């Protein structure tokens, strides 16, 4: 890819409403950013609101951040919407989250009209309601020919679950003599992850003050950079994102080399 000065200048011009003290190099953006959308419950509690109100505000923050990422030229974002462990939450909260996901997927066509965004869902969707499974298929179909930002929504997703799923598939292929044990390597494992064909995340952002990965993209985050902040996800905005990218651009990534 050549350096397209005109395109980049245009992009920076378009950012005039999001002026920032963070000087970014728009030619060296992280290609793939993962977001752990944490802190919705605490955001709501602070306002004396139910947790579901926090998740609703979180879904709004996601809409804003997706659009902003697309605008500045981020190619892929992966967001943690519902983990394999989130089923342990009170039934009322699980229901509210599933309702929001269903609404988001249902609105995707109208909401994303003209936005050129590709939506994919990662995780084990087979245990979700028939309605949501249909909406996932439909949303993926509707957006598959778009050429802009790829939004991966992790639903009923767990990093360990994903690795187990990959190992089982590979074991079956070995059993059927389609591959040899010696063929199992990094690349083959990656090809059996939900994220097959997608670059590993360059940067993983977790707001809310927690400093952990919580089973998010375990395989893919081997060499990701991390950015944590004491902001609740519903308050996460473009300025925070620019700060995270600015920090990211100051780091030296060695991938185990020197
Ligand atoms: C973690 O915050 C957040 C979640 C478990 C759900 C994230 C979901 C959304 C942002 C909205 C739905 C997504 C889409 C794609 C429409 P928490 O509830 O654990 O917060 P807390 O730690 O403050 O309690």
């Amino acid at each position: 890819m050549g350096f397209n000065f005109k395109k980049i200048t245009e992009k920076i011009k378009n950012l005039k409403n999001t002026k920032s003290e963070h000087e970014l190099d728009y030619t060296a953006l992280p290609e793939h950013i993962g977001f752990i959308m944490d802190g919705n419950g605490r955001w709501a509690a602070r306002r004396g609101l139910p947790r579901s109100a926090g998740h609703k505000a979180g879904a709004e923050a996601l809409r804003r951040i997706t659009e902003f990422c697309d605008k500045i030229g981020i190619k892929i974002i992966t967001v943690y919407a519902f983990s394999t462990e989130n089923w342990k939450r009170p039934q009322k909260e699980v229901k509210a989250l599933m309702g929001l996901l269903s609404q988001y997927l249902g609105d995707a066509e109208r909401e994303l009209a003209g936005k050129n965004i590709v939506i994919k869902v990662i995780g084990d969707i087979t245990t979700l309601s028939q309605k949501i499974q249909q909406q996932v298929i439909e949303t993926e179909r509707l957006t598959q020919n778009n050429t802009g930002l790829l939004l991966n929504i992790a639903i009923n997703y767990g990093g360990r679950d994903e690795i187990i799923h990959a190992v089982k598939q590979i074991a079956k292929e070995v059993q059927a003599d389609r591959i040899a044990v010696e063929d199992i390597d990094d690349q083959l494992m990656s090809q059996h992850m939900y994220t097959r064909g997608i670059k590993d995340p360059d940067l993983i952002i977790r707001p809310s003050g927690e400093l952990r990965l919580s089973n998010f993209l375990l395989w893919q985050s081997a060499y990701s950079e991390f950015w944590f902040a004491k902001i609740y996800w519903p308050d996460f905005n473009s300025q925070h994102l620019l700060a995270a990218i600015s920090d990211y651009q100051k780091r030296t990534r060695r991938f185990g080399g020197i």
Side-chain angles (χ1 to χ4, degrees):
M1 251 197 305
F3 179 82
N4 188 335
F5 186 74
K6 202 172 155 214
K7 202 168 159 198
I8 288 158
T9 314
E10 199 54 43
K11 249 179 201 153
I12 297 169
K13 247 199 271 163
N14 290 339
L15 287 170
K16 58 181 179 295
N17 296 329
T18 53
K19 275 204 194 95
S20 156
E21 71 273 24
H22 311 292
E23 281 297 314
L24 290 197
D25 175 358
Y26 284 88
T27 65
L29 291 172
E31 196 174 315
H32 181 178
I33 305 180
F35 291 96
I36 301 179
M37 306 186 287
D38 195 16
N40 297 344
R42 280 165 282 175
W43 181 93
R46 267 208 179 164
R47 288 161 177 76
L49 297 170
R51 293 179 62 80
S52 56
H55 295 313
K56 191 159 180 260
E60 287 308 318
L62 172 61
R63 285 188 174 93
R64 293 192 300 269
I65 288 299
T66 304
E67 250 184 73
F68 187 72
C69 283
D70 188 40
K71 192 159 103 178
I72 65 171
I74 304 295
K75 300 269 181 285
I76 309 165
I77 64 174
T78 300
V79 299
Y80 208 4
F82 194 90
S83 78
T84 43
E85 288 71 36
N86 285 153
W87 297 107
K88 291 185 234 159
R89 294 189 174 207
Q91 224 190 333
K92 197 170 150 202
E93 186 173 344
V94 170
K95 213 173 151 202
L97 275 167
M98 288 299 151
L100 272 175
L101 288 167
S102 173
Q103 195 183 343
Y104 185 89
L105 294 168
D107 287 350
E109 184 184 16
R110 184 171 49 80
E111 284 237 355
L112 299 174
K115 290 205 180 117
N116 206 20
I117 288 169
V118 183
I119 296 185
K120 281 198 182 144
V121 170
I122 61 167
D124 177 10
I125 64 160
T126 60
T127 54
L128 304 178
S129 71
Q130 280 301 320
K131 181 181 172 193
I132 296 188
Q133 290 189 46
Q134 272 311 312
Q135 285 178 315
V136 168
I137 294 167
E138 189 56 11
T139 308
E140 290 188 339
R141 191 188 63 77
L142 279 169
T143 64
Q144 68 184 353
N145 293 325
N146 287 347
T147 52
L149 173 121
L150 165 62
L151 164 64
N152 283 315
I153 309 177
I155 308 178
N156 194 21
Y157 173 88
R160 287 185 174 180
D161 188 64
E162 181 181 35
I163 293 170
I164 293 167
H165 182 256
V167 168
K168 280 184 180 165
Q169 278 190 323
I170 293 173
K172 280 184 195 157
E173 286 172 38
V174 171
Q175 224 170 19
D177 268 342
R178 280 199 292 274
I179 55 167
V181 169
E182 294 69 34
D183 295 335
I184 303 172
D185 58 8
D186 263 37
Q187 215 189 340
L188 190 84
M189 283 290 287
S190 293
Q191 281 162 5
H192 286 79
M193 297 291 157
Y194 295 125
T195 50
R196 70 190 71 86
I198 295 168
K199 187 181 191 273
D200 286 342
D202 301 294
L203 173 64
I204 293 182
I205 293 178
R206 180 170 195 161
S208 93
E210 309 299 344
L211 307 178
R212 55 178 173 264
L213 207 44
S214 299
N215 210 8
F216 184 56
L217 301 179
L218 294 185
W219 174 265
Q220 300 84 343
S221 61
Y223 285 102
S224 302
E225 297 294 328
F226 292 90
W227 195 83
F228 299 103
K230 287 184 178 155
I231 315 145
Y232 297 139
W233 171 254
D235 291 329
F236 188 87
N237 61 31
S238 53
Q239 291 302 306
H240 300 125
L241 181 66
L242 293 176
I245 297 176
S246 170
D247 277 2
Y248 164 87
Q249 290 185 335
K250 290 184 191 112
R251 301 186 195 170
T252 310
R253 301 182 76 191
R254 287 190 289 273
F255 300 93
I258 49 167

